[in-house]
Amino acid sequence: MTEVADINAGANHDSNSELRTLADKVCEQLVTAIVRGDIPPGQKISEPELARTYGISRGPLREAIRRLEGLRLVVRIPHVGARVVSLSPEELVEIYRVREALEGMACRLAADNMSTAEINSLRELLYQHERNIEQIDGRSYFQKEGDLDFHYRIVQSSKNSKLFELLGGELYHLVRMYRYQFSVSKSRPQRALKEHHRILDAIEERDGELAELLMRRHISRARRNIEDRLNPTNKEERE
């Protein structure tokens, strides 16, 4: 009897592990699709359609969608269903103002805490970003998540767990989505890359005050770019 129970427990464990593996895989694919705008903000999540697209059953797909809700990329609306999140212009600008303050602070701390090896590794990442941008003729600046993301690495290098919880956790993929979708332009990708290099130069020189200032300016420019895209009269009034 015990042997049968053990076999059943083992089978259930294998089944659960397989479910988690499939959910992990499809969640990662869906995150990328949402960040790139292949599944645009506000679009309804169709389980049958996604199951066909990704070739999986509804069980792991539903688990993946639950994870997307946890990442704040999907919201479930009563009597409507799940949709890709769509922020109002006001909400988006508010998030960018929070980023400006907190990522500026992260840069100041990174100037004190990053090792030379970490700085050199981040510089290599920027060179890789440069090659990626050139390969698509400067049309966009897509950064993969986690350690392949300049902003993620800066926040991580601040060595401040509360900053990381906010910027590397709760808001991370939501910010990635809008960062990418508003970087698709003729001039912004190359300009953003140059700004990243200057920020890293300041960190390398251990000038935390300058690093913070440059990061705040960098995010402020990105915010103004978003405001101009959402409301072109803003740009006309400044000019």
Side-chain angles (χ1 to χ4, degrees):
M1 185 72 175
T2 303
E3 289 182 2
V4 172
D6 288 343
I7 290 171
N8 289 337
N12 288 335
H13 176 75
D14 290 343
S15 177
N16 290 336
S17 297
E18 184 179 351
L19 176 63
R20 284 195 297 272
T21 301
L22 286 171
D24 290 340
K25 183 178 178 181
V26 76
C27 183
E28 182 180 337
Q29 291 172 324
L30 287 170
V31 165
T32 299
I34 291 171
V35 168
R36 286 184 176 272
D38 299 332
I39 306 175
Q43 179 165 311
K44 187 174 181 180
I45 298 294
S46 168
E47 290 186 10
E49 183 178 336
L50 290 177
R52 287 193 301 271
T53 299
Y54 293 97
I56 61 170
S57 63
R58 301 283 280 276
L61 176 59
R62 285 172 179 163
E63 173 61 26
I65 292 171
R66 281 195 291 270
R67 295 183 191 184
L68 292 174
E69 289 183 73
L71 295 174
R72 300 183 65 174
L73 290 176
V74 165
V75 291
R76 197 171 292 278
I77 304 169
H79 312 299
V80 175
R83 290 183 180 275
V84 175
V85 69
S86 179
L87 296 181
S88 70
E90 293 77 15
E91 289 173 316
L92 188 53
V93 167
E94 283 180 1
I95 285 178
Y96 267 71
R97 290 193 184 280
V98 169
R99 284 188 64 208
E100 189 176 332
L102 296 186
E103 290 197 38
M105 185 192 305
C107 267
R108 180 186 286 270
L109 294 171
D112 292 331
N113 293 317
M114 283 187 82
S115 68
T116 300
E118 287 172 327
I119 291 170
N120 291 340
S121 174
L122 189 50
R123 185 76 70 185
E124 284 299 317
L125 178 65
L126 290 182
Y127 291 143
Q128 179 61 55
H129 288 177
E130 186 172 358
R131 289 190 289 271
N132 293 343
I133 291 171
E134 289 172 352
Q135 286 172 1
I136 55 173
D137 298 324
R139 292 191 303 274
S140 65
Y141 189 169
F142 177 74
Q143 300 181 63
K144 293 183 179 180
E145 65 184 275
D147 289 342
L148 300 176
D149 180 346
F150 176 79
H151 289 268
Y152 182 94
R153 291 272 286 271
I154 291 292
V155 174
Q156 189 178 52
S157 298
S158 74
K159 308 296 195 286
N160 185 297
S161 60
K162 295 304 178 186
L163 275 177
F164 189 74
E165 283 176 18
L166 287 169
L167 297 171
E170 184 178 353
L171 293 176
Y172 179 59
H173 288 291
L174 191 61
V175 168
R176 276 186 75 223
M177 178 174 76
Y178 283 99
R179 259 176 38 202
Y180 172 73
Q181 292 179 21
F182 282 96
S183 78
V184 181
S185 68
K186 291 182 179 179
S187 59
R188 184 61 196 161
Q190 289 289 354
R191 190 181 307 134
L193 181 66
K194 288 178 182 177
E195 291 167 7
H196 286 173
H197 274 292
R198 292 190 189 112
I199 290 165
L200 189 57
D201 289 342
I203 290 172
E204 189 171 26
E205 292 164 8
R206 306 302 178 185
D207 190 336
E209 184 176 354
L210 179 59
E212 179 174 9
L213 175 64
L214 291 173
M215 179 60 88
R216 290 180 69 103
R217 285 179 177 173
H218 171 65
I219 295 173
S220 178
R221 288 190 185 104
R223 172 177 53 79
R224 288 198 301 272
N225 177 54
I226 288 172
E227 289 173 328
D228 291 344
R229 295 271 292 276
L230 294 174
N231 186 4
T233 58
N234 287 340
K235 185 175 181 180
E236 292 171 5
E237 288 172 359
R238 284 203 306 272
E239 294 176 346

